[in-house]
């Protein structure tokens, strides 16, 4: 269970899926749009895929809310697990609902097992008006769990989120002009602290093109690249 929760948190926090819409330049708000990313290990070998499909788009007051269905497969093509999450877009600013990272069905199953879970945090935000040198707001999420008198907390803090530069990047899906966003992340769980740095290549009208994660000492941990998309 700990590994599943940790994977859910990191898979979202290091990933920005995107396409153009009247509200957001980056996040897709069209039902049926789909995106596939190929993950690579530190040696550059394929290490599985993550697929996203926008299953629902709806209006909630002045905000437009989109739901993403997410599927993880390992390097052999075997399904690992499926999940979903949602975000809202209002006045050109995207915010993520952290609680939606944990689907209601999964939450119900854990509740029936006697697990109590409390999720809190500061939404991650991505504005339309990105500029080189811009500093973006920090974000964090904390999951407090309790079961049979045993408590466990998992927290992820995203800091030093900066728009570093613009550059062209090529993947198997094509060549794209991107903003490069850098950030630091600190994950705390079970008495352990994991510090990482990441780079995100983000293209208007398509979204996340490439993402790389590094150890605190600068050594590459993994990367993910857009390998197919349909919108």
């Amino acid at each position: 269970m700990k590994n599943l929760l940790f994977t859910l948190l990191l898979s979202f926090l290091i990933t920005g899926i995107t396409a153009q819409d009247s509200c957001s330049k980056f996040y897709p708000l069209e039902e049926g749009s789909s995106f596939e990313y190929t993950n690579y290990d530190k040696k550059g070998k394929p290490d599985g895929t993550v697929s996203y499909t926008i299953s629902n788009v709806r209006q909630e007051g002045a905000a437009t809310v989109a739901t993403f269905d997410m599927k993880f497969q390992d390097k052999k093509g075997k399904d690992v697990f499926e999940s979903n999450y949602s975000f809202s877009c209002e006045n050109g600013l995207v915010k993520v609902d952290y609680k939606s990272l944990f689907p209601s069905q999964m939450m119900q199953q854990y509740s029936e097992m006697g697990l109590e879970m409390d999720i809190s945090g500061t939404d991650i935000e991505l504005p339309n008006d990105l500029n080189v040198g811009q500093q973006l707001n920090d974000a964090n999420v904390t999951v407090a769990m309790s079961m049979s008198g045993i408590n466990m907390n998992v927290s992820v803090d995203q800091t030093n989120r900066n728009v570093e530069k613009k550059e062209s990047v090529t993947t198997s899906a094509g060549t794209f002009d991107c903003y490069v966003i850098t950030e630091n992340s600190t994950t705390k769980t079970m008495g352990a602290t994991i510090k990482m740095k990441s780079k995100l290549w983000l293209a208007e009208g398509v979204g996340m093109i490439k993402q790389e994660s590094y150890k605190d000492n600068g050594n590459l941990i993994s990367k993910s690249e857009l390998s197919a998309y349909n919108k």
Side-chain angles (χ1 to χ4, degrees):
M1 181 185 68
K2 180 184 72 174
N3 290 336
L4 173 60
L5 294 174
F6 184 72
T7 302
L8 280 169
L9 288 172
L10 288 187
S11 66
F12 174 75
L13 291 173
I14 64 176
T15 305
I17 312 255
T18 51
Q20 193 160 8
D21 174 82
S22 58
C23 180
S24 173
K25 291 181 181 179
F26 300 103
Y27 283 76
L29 297 175
E30 296 181 9
E31 291 184 3
S33 295
S34 60
F35 302 81
E36 180 186 88
Y37 293 86
T38 300
N39 298 328
Y40 298 88
D41 63 21
K42 63 182 180 181
K43 295 182 179 180
K45 296 181 179 180
D47 195 31
T49 60
V50 185
S51 301
Y52 301 81
T53 301
I54 303 172
S55 59
N56 181 264
V57 178
R58 59 194 181 278
Q59 288 295 131
E60 293 186 1
T64 302
V65 180
T67 299
F68 288 78
D69 293 339
M70 177 172 56
K71 181 170 71 173
F72 287 74
Q73 291 183 316
D74 64 20
K75 58 186 176 182
K76 295 182 179 180
K78 181 180 178 180
D79 291 344
V80 179
F81 70 86
E82 297 181 6
S83 184
N84 56 61
Y85 67 89
S86 63
F87 67 77
S88 63
C89 183
E90 185 174 358
N91 298 324
L93 182 68
V94 166
K95 292 186 176 183
V96 174
D97 176 9
Y98 279 122
K99 291 186 178 180
S100 72
L101 288 171
F102 301 88
S104 57
Q105 182 179 9
M106 185 180 75
M107 295 287 282
Q108 182 178 353
Q109 290 175 346
Y110 286 162
S111 178
E112 291 173 352
M113 293 166 54
L115 175 68
E116 297 180 0
M117 185 182 301
D118 181 66
I119 305 168
S120 60
T122 302
D123 293 340
I124 186 171
E125 298 178 347
L126 182 70
N128 280 337
D129 55 344
L130 294 182
N131 297 289
V132 174
Q134 181 178 2
Q135 184 169 359
L136 304 178
N137 291 336
D138 293 345
N140 64 76
V141 60
T142 299
V143 182
M145 292 165 282
S146 177
M147 184 175 182
S148 301
I150 300 175
N151 300 318
M152 184 179 76
N153 294 332
V154 180
S155 67
V156 181
D157 293 304
Q158 291 174 275
T159 58
N160 297 322
R161 301 178 63 223
N162 297 301
V163 183
E164 183 180 81
K165 59 183 177 179
K166 292 190 71 174
E167 68 177 17
S168 178
V169 64
T170 299
T171 73
S172 59
T175 299
F176 308 88
D177 293 325
C178 299
Y179 288 97
V180 181
I181 299 176
T182 61
E183 69 176 45
N184 297 337
S185 67
T186 302
T187 301
K188 295 181 179 180
T189 178
M190 299 293 288
T193 298
I194 302 171
K195 293 184 177 182
M196 296 193 306
K197 298 179 180 180
S198 67
K199 284 187 177 181
L200 172 69
W201 283 259
L202 191 65
E204 291 187 17
V206 182
M208 191 191 92
I209 305 302
K210 181 179 176 181
Q211 184 273 332
E212 294 180 345
S213 296
Y214 305 86
K215 292 181 179 179
D216 199 35
N217 62 9
N219 291 337
L220 181 69
I221 299 173
S222 63
K223 68 177 181 179
S224 180
E225 294 183 351
L226 180 70
S227 47
Y229 69 100
N230 179 43
K231 59 175 184 172

